[in-house]
Amino acid sequence: MSAARGEAAAEEVRRVVETVFRMESPRLIAATARLVREIGTAEELAQDALVAALEQWPREGIPDRPGAWLMTAARRRAVDLVRRRERYARKLAVLGRDLETAPPAGDPAEDPAAVPDAEAIDDDLLRLLFVSCHPVLSPRSRITLTLKLLGGLSTAEIARAFLAAESAVAQRLVRAKRTLAEREVPFEVPVGEDRQARLGSVLEVVYLIFNEGYAATEGEDLVRPALCEEALRLARVLAGLMPQEPEVHGLAALLELQASRLAARTGPDGHPVLLRDQNRARWNRLLIARGFTALGRAEEAARGAPHGPYVLQAAIAASHAGAHRYEDTDWARIATLYGLLARQTPSPVVELNRAVALGMAEGPERGLALVDALTAQGALDGYHLLPSARGDLLARLGRGTEASAEFRRAAGLTRNARERALLLRRADEAADSDSASSEDK
């Protein structure tokens, strides 16, 4: 084999190793963290397995089960580490003549080469997800740690996704791991009331990741599909791990249905396309079908109990997905669902969405009255979608000059360049419509 062909083959093996590692790293970290009880150490052990693969696979060939190979390598290193710790602890106990009263350090006698079965891996992944989303961490830290450990994203990729400095993301990860260690957060899935309380944090993190991908807070792009894909993957994993939880299926349904519209949300030039103008032929019918299936599972798991917030939001998304044309949208049903959601999780943002739906179902005057009431409360000051919604209602009422001012105010509040451009365009269109009306008179 020529040197060039040898280098090409080695490069191909390296790409395979990196691809497999990215797919398997959450399982590797989860399985080793169960043994060593430290996320930082578990990450190092997973990286050690990656290095071993990079060294051995070019010489020995890619194994038939590369994921199992990596798991075995990582677990061997974890077991070795536990054994070294135990030997060290025993030596200390002997030196202190306290061997009989020393607490047991665990049982590492299992076969280190054995790959855990699927159920054990699922349990480990669930533990890792609950630890990554622990309430002792700030929401931003939970998102960052989840993307790192379970999304398999590098620090640089996370930094790009959130338009943050790589050093800042790295520091956030270090602080998060340190906090978990200092607070001695157990590597376990909580049970009972504690589980229900923590589940909300887990679902919120996945939801926030998706939302940042679906409507980027700032930057030049309206959507970041990679974040949506990671959140959707996490939601599917979670639904598989917790099949009896209605809200887990509700979140999965919501993300499937929302993701179905991604391709139609922007035009060829990257500019946003409003829901009413979207080409629904571009909506992903497979994702819509998956969303309806997940919603059905949520309703089945609920067994007649009142729907939670994610199931209600999924039902709203299903109402949009079920309408073949914008004009066919059942806005009355959507407004009712938002009303139920507002009772479950009172929020001015939910009330704003309900106002928009009522404005569509009962006329713009009705929606404008509710939006004006929200404006008077001041709870959404600085939230660009409030003046945007008000501008839309005013435009539908033929009050173009006022609508234009609202769209410009919204443009000044958003940090997303694409959204700002859309709002300014709508402001110009509203002003032009008023000028045209004046000329007609």
Side-chain angles (χ1 to χ4, degrees), residues 105 109 129 149 169 238 279 365:
L129 188 54
L149 298 182
V169 171
L238 196 56
N279 178 3
E365 298 90 346

Side-chain angles (χ1 to χ4, degrees), residues 44-128:
E44 293 173 4
L45 293 168
Q47 288 291 332
D48 288 346
L50 170 64
V51 171
L54 288 170
E55 291 174 348
Q56 295 181 40
W57 291 9
R59 296 195 312 265
E60 302 172 3
I62 299 171
D64 293 336
R65 300 174 59 205
W69 192 101
L70 287 171
M71 179 66 76
T72 297
R75 282 169 57 82
R76 279 200 181 108
R77 285 158 174 77
V79 171
D80 287 345
L81 178 61
V82 171
R83 285 172 174 162
R84 287 197 301 272
R85 288 176 175 176
E86 287 185 337
R87 284 196 295 269
Y88 180 66
R90 284 198 294 271
K91 288 178 181 178
L92 288 180
V94 169
L95 289 173
R97 297 185 179 180
D98 197 22
L99 182 58
E100 294 300 321
T101 58
D107 180 16
E110 64 185 283
D111 176 10
V115 177
D117 60 26
E119 185 176 348
I121 292 175
D122 286 352
D123 289 345
D124 290 339
L125 281 171
L126 197 56
R127 290 186 188 96
L128 184 60

Side-chain angles (χ1 to χ4, degrees), residues 257-323:
L257 292 166
Q258 293 291 82
S260 72
R261 305 204 299 259
L262 277 173
R265 293 198 70 233
T266 55
D269 56 0
H271 288 301
V273 179
L274 296 173
L275 179 63
R276 70 182 181 217
D277 300 325
Q278 288 178 16
N279 178 3
R280 300 193 173 208
R282 298 190 66 200
W283 287 9
N284 189 312
R285 308 314 298 183
L286 174 61
L287 292 181
I288 289 174
R290 290 180 64 109
F292 276 101
T293 298
L295 184 57
R297 289 176 181 149
E299 293 171 346
E300 182 180 347
R303 297 179 181 177
H307 291 329
Y310 290 110
V311 177
L312 289 172
Q313 289 180 79
I316 292 169
S319 293
H320 287 295

Side-chain angles (χ1 to χ4, degrees), residues 16 64 89 141 186 202 207 222 259 345 369 391 393 411 420 433:
V16 171
D64 293 336
S141 293
V202 172
Y207 181 61
L222 179 71
T345 54
L393 291 163
R420 185 183 304 113
S433 68

